[in-house]
């Protein structure tokens, strides 16, 4: 409307125009449709996050239950082998049992648990509770935050110390040794586990004081501390691998919180002589703490994916990566144990939690008659059944995810899809010639086309290295899992066809390029995965985040 040419312009005409003017949203249909899809994706994020979190939580549970159930049995078998081996050599008996590296690692785990539990026996949880309770609320709040920071620092260095101990104890004799010796590494590992166990016990004590306080002020302050996590995560720049690290850390924190709440329940029920009415009074506060943690995770991941334009199915890739990890530890020629792999991937180390559990059980459970011993064996048997059931569920889910991933990869790499992608590429070139555009836009399209050709060549080279023996029984075959500290197995998740690759390049949504190499040993035909390979940061132009 041109007010300068309108001779009848007046205040009434202006108000009439402002109150009756019309506009059509369908003129910008593409933009509004994209906004609607973003809203739908935002609403679906909690469900996708929970699917990934539940599977990762089950892996952490499997790792922790292994320490509580199967490790004592494996240690007993290893001790029997260690005791009978000299007699077998002395009398010339042929035995198939050997003190394998896995048995040596189990013995070292048991030694660490026993020594650290003996050191923790000098600490009385009741005295520790009253010492923490006597402090002011502000001091406890600062103290709890310091414990959280220290817990993350200990988790980062802990698995390195344990891995160094295991490798020092099982390193082949023929290799040149450059280390301090197994005793020095064992002392360092015992010191680490003891300090980390004390830290976890202090966290549980602080949470116990917060829950059992009369005014609940400290508990409210602790829960409000979770909202500060949003400020430190939501407004940061994340790519696919960084979000995977954050997601693994959230899984570990959730399991850690559940363990702390279990310790709080054990200590509180012991003080009230295991009366059930006190449990029902304690349960709402524990559920509130857990629900707040879950809601914070939902909000955090929803906004992180929104601000960084990450796709909705990214958590499905994360779950598939964890599934390949689980298949890696169950194959015949495994390179690591499930506990160690979960510790590398998520920063979850079960040994300190096992020491704390032993200390709490010693303080809360009194064995004074045969019936109590029977109940302990019954609980141990139930834990074994729970471990077996959880392992079956985790491995079954892993097989389904691996089979689905291989089907998607085969479908994406089929000749029909490749031909369709080529036709779409030619059509895009023909359309670009027909539509008038400036020279800068044309050069950008040409660069993207060249990049597609390069990626196609690289994908063909990578497919020549990809084996075809990982069939339906994935747990018995060699997987191509890449044992990174906390990075995604991106090479396994390369299922995108050339057609989708072109669409992703043309869209505004930026996706990380999957290019992590794996090594293979041609001597025995088995793929070898490095323990800590270096992330190949090629194609930086596509890996960058759009603003």
């Amino acid at each position: 409307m041109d007010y300068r040419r309108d001779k009848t312009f007046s205040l009434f005409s202006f108000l009439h125009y402002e109150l009756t003017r019309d506009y059509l949203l369908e003129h910008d249909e593409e933009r509004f449709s994209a906004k609607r899809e973003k809203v739908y994706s935002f609403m679906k994020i909690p469900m996708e996050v929970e699917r990934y979190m539940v599977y990762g939580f089950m892996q952490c549970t499997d790792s922790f239950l292994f320490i509580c159930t199967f490790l004592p049995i494996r240690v007993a078998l290893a001790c029997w082998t260690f005791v009978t081996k000299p007699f077998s050599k002395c009398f010339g008996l042929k035995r198939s049992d050997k003190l394998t590296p896995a048995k040596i690692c189990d013995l070292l785990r048991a030694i660490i648990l026993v020594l650290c539990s003996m050191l923790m026996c000098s600490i009385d949880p009741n005295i520790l509770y009253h010492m923490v309770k006597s402090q002011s609320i502000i001091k406890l709040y600062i103290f709890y935050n310091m414990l959280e920071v220290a817990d993350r620092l200990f988790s980062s260095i802990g698995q390195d110390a344990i891995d160094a101990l295991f490798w020092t104890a099982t390193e082949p004799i023929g290799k040149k040794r450059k280390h301090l010796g197994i005793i020095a590494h064992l002392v360092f590992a015992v010191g680490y586990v003891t300090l980390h166990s004390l830290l976890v016990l202090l966290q549980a004590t602080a949470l116990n004081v917060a829950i059992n306080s009369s005014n609940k002020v400290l508990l409210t302050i602790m829960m409000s501390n979770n909202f500060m996590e949003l400020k430190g995560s939501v407004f940061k720049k994340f790519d696919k691998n960084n979000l995977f690290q954050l997601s693994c850390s959230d899984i570990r924190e959730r399991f850690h919180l559940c363990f702390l709440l279990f310790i709080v329940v054990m200590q509180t029920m012991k003080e009230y002589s295991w009366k059930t009415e006190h449990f029902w009074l304690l349960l709402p506060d524990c559920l509130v703490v857990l629900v707040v943690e879950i809601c914070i995770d939902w909000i955090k991941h929803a906004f992180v994916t929104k601000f960084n334009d990450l796709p909705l199915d990214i958590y499905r890739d994360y779950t598939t990566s964890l599934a390949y990890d689980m298949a890696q530890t169950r194959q015949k020629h495994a390179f690591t144990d499930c506990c160690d792999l979960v510790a590398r991937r998520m920063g979850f180390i079960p040994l300190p939690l096992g020491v704390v559990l032993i200390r709490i059980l010693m303080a809360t459970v009194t064995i004074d008659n045969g019936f109590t011993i029977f109940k302990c064996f019954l609980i141990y048997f139930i834990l074994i059944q729970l471990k077996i059931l959880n392992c079956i569920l985790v491995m079954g889910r892993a097989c389904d995810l691996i089979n689905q991933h291989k089907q998607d990869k085969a479908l994406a790499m089929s000749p029909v899809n490749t031909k369709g992608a080529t036709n779409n590429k030619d059509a895009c070139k023909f359309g670009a010639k027909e539509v008038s555009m400036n020279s800068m836009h044309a050069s950008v399209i040409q660069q993207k086309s060249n990049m597609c050709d390069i990626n196609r060549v690289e994908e063909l080279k990578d497919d020549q290295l990809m084996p075809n023996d990982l069939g339906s029984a994935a747990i018995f075959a060699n997987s191509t899992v890449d044992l990174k500290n906390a990075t995604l197995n991106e090479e396994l998740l390369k299922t995108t066809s050339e057609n989708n690759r072109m669409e992703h390049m043309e869209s505004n949504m930026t996706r990380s390029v999957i290019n992590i190499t794996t090594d293979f040993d041609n001597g025995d035909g088995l793929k070898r995965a490095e323990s800590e390979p270096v992330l190949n940061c090629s194609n930086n132009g596509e890996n960058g985040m759009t603003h």
Side-chain angles (χ1 to χ4, degrees):
M1 182 177 181
D2 194 353
Y3 293 103
R4 293 177 298 180
R5 297 182 178 179
D6 191 1
K7 297 181 179 179
T8 61
F9 175 73
S10 62
L11 179 60
F12 177 77
S13 61
F14 172 75
L15 294 176
H16 180 268
Y17 172 76
E18 291 294 329
L19 295 177
T20 59
R21 61 188 176 91
D22 193 13
Y23 50 87
L24 297 177
L25 298 180
E26 62 185 14
H27 290 169
D28 199 1
E29 180 180 356
E30 182 178 357
R31 183 172 68 90
F32 286 106
S33 299
K35 294 293 184 181
R36 184 172 59 187
E37 291 299 325
K38 284 186 177 182
V39 173
Y40 292 163
S41 299
F42 185 86
M43 297 171 62
K44 294 178 182 178
I45 283 295
M47 181 176 62
E48 296 294 331
V49 170
E50 279 306 306
R51 289 177 180 175
Y52 167 72
M53 290 281 184
V54 168
Y55 188 72
F57 189 91
M58 293 175 67
Q59 283 194 358
C60 293
T61 304
D62 183 78
S63 178
F64 181 71
L65 289 179
F66 172 82
I67 299 295
C68 301
T69 57
F70 286 171
L71 182 61
I73 301 176
R74 289 175 62 93
V75 169
L77 296 176
C79 291
W80 176 256
T81 302
F82 182 76
V83 171
T84 58
K85 186 177 180 180
F87 296 97
S88 300
K89 290 184 178 180
C90 180
F91 294 102
L93 299 177
K94 294 182 179 180
R95 296 180 58 86
S96 58
D97 294 338
K98 296 181 180 179
L99 197 60
T100 60
K103 294 180 179 179
I104 295 175
C105 293
D106 293 334
L107 288 174
L108 290 175
R109 287 193 183 98
I111 292 173
I112 292 174
L113 284 174
V114 172
L115 293 179
C116 294
S117 299
M118 293 175 61
L119 293 175
M120 290 291 292
C121 287
S122 59
I123 300 175
D124 190 355
N126 295 326
I127 297 177
L128 198 64
Y129 175 83
H130 291 289
M131 289 177 59
V132 174
K133 189 177 182 180
S134 61
Q135 305 298 322
S136 62
I137 295 178
I138 300 300
K139 286 184 179 181
L140 288 179
Y141 173 70
I142 298 175
F143 179 68
Y144 189 79
N145 290 334
M146 292 173 60
L147 291 178
E148 285 188 345
V149 175
D151 180 53
R152 296 184 181 182
L153 296 178
F154 272 115
S155 299
S156 64
I157 194 61
Q159 188 59 34
D160 293 337
I162 296 175
D163 286 341
L165 172 63
F166 290 163
W167 175 242
T168 304
T170 60
E171 186 178 5
I173 300 177
K175 290 190 177 182
K176 185 178 180 180
R177 301 197 172 197
K178 296 181 180 179
H179 53 74
L180 300 176
I182 186 173
I183 301 299
H185 283 278
L186 180 60
V187 171
F188 185 79
V190 169
Y192 152 72
V193 174
T194 303
L195 292 177
H196 200 173
S197 302
L198 179 60
L199 188 145
V200 174
L201 185 59
L202 288 173
Q203 282 185 309
T205 304
L207 187 61
N208 192 2
V209 172
I211 291 178
N212 290 289
S213 61
S214 58
N215 51 13
K216 307 294 182 182
V217 176
L218 181 58
L219 182 63
T220 305
I221 294 177
M222 287 182 177
M223 288 190 296
S224 65
N225 191 36
N226 293 329
F227 290 90
M228 299 300 296
E229 187 179 354
L230 295 177
K231 181 180 179 181
S233 302
V234 170
F235 301 105
K236 287 184 178 180
K237 178 181 177 182
F238 284 91
D239 60 2
K240 194 172 186 179
N241 281 326
N242 292 335
L243 182 58
F244 182 63
Q245 296 176 10
L246 179 65
S247 303
C248 290
S249 177
D250 291 338
I251 294 174
R252 184 255 175 195
E253 289 180 2
R254 184 175 297 186
F255 186 89
H256 192 76
L257 179 61
C258 292
F259 179 80
L260 294 179
L261 292 175
F262 174 76
I263 296 300
V264 170
V265 171
M266 290 284 292
Q267 290 180 327
T268 306
M269 293 298 293
K270 173 63 171 58
E271 294 298 326
Y272 290 100
S273 301
W274 303 96
K275 295 181 180 179
T276 56
E277 57 268 17
H278 293 285
F279 173 76
W280 297 113
L281 294 175
L282 187 65
L283 184 61
D285 294 332
C286 296
L287 291 179
V288 167
V289 174
L290 190 59
V291 168
V292 169
E293 179 70 21
I294 294 175
C295 293
I296 291 299
D297 290 338
W298 289 355
I299 297 173
K300 178 174 61 178
H301 285 272
F303 280 101
V304 165
T305 53
K306 179 183 183 298
F307 291 156
N308 295 275
D309 288 332
L310 294 174
L312 179 63
D313 57 353
I314 192 173
Y315 295 98
R316 192 177 306 169
D317 295 342
Y318 295 164
T319 310
T320 305
S321 177
L322 297 182
Y324 272 98
D325 286 349
M326 185 58 64
Q328 162 77 17
T329 60
R330 294 305 196 275
Q331 62 184 351
K332 182 178 180 180
H333 300 279
F335 302 103
T336 184
D337 187 70
C338 177
C339 300
D340 300 330
L341 187 57
V342 172
R344 294 191 190 100
R345 191 69 77 183
M346 303 180 186
F348 172 72
I349 306 176
L351 288 178
L353 302 186
V355 173
V356 174
L357 180 63
I358 293 174
R359 184 65 189 92
I360 294 300
L361 290 177
M362 293 176 62
T364 56
V365 178
T366 303
I367 300 177
D368 51 359
N369 52 33
F371 183 69
T372 306
I373 298 176
F374 173 76
K375 289 191 294 184
C376 292
F377 277 104
L378 181 61
I379 293 174
Y380 179 72
F381 180 75
I382 294 175
L383 290 178
I384 291 179
Q385 301 301 317
L386 181 61
K387 169 69 171 64
I388 296 174
L389 177 60
N390 183 79
C391 186
I392 292 174
L393 294 176
V394 171
M395 292 307 304
R397 179 60 175 165
C399 290
D400 294 339
L401 291 171
I402 292 174
N403 291 335
Q404 183 64 35
H405 169 258
K406 291 190 71 65
Q407 291 177 4
D408 294 341
K409 184 177 179 63
L411 181 62
M413 296 305 299
S414 62
V416 176
N417 290 338
T418 305
K419 183 178 179 181
T422 305
N423 294 334
N424 291 335
K425 179 181 175 181
D426 296 336
C428 291
K429 289 183 178 180
F430 179 76
K433 292 180 181 179
E434 295 294 327
V435 179
S436 61
M437 61 177 60
N438 52 29
S439 59
M440 183 179 296
H441 190 197
S443 63
V444 171
I445 295 298
Q446 185 64 27
Q447 290 177 0
K448 291 181 179 179
S449 300
N450 296 334
M451 190 172 296
C452 287
D453 295 335
I454 295 174
N455 289 333
R456 180 182 299 175
V457 174
E458 292 179 354
E459 187 171 357
L460 292 176
K461 291 181 180 179
D462 291 334
D463 288 336
Q464 293 176 357
L465 297 177
M466 292 292 292
N468 295 322
D469 59 346
L470 189 58
S472 59
I475 60 176
F476 302 110
N478 293 326
S479 64
T480 55
V481 68
D482 218 356
L483 301 183
K484 295 180 179 300
N485 275 339
T487 53
L488 184 63
N489 295 329
E490 294 187 344
E491 184 65 25
L492 299 171
L493 305 177
K494 188 185 293 183
T495 60
T496 309
S497 62
E498 291 295 330
N499 186 15
N500 293 333
R501 194 188 301 274
M502 291 292 297
E503 293 178 357
H504 293 168
M505 288 181 177
E506 294 296 335
S507 65
N508 293 328
M509 184 176 296
T510 303
R511 299 175 186 240
S512 300
V513 175
I514 301 171
N515 189 9
I516 297 179
T517 59
T518 56
D519 295 334
F520 300 90
D521 187 1
N522 296 326
D524 54 359
L526 298 176
K527 294 182 290 299
R528 302 297 182 187
E530 298 179 0
S531 60
E532 292 185 6
V534 180
L535 179 64
N536 186 2
C537 297
S538 59
N539 298 331
N540 292 329
E542 294 183 12
N543 284 336
M545 303 303 299
T546 58
H547 296 280

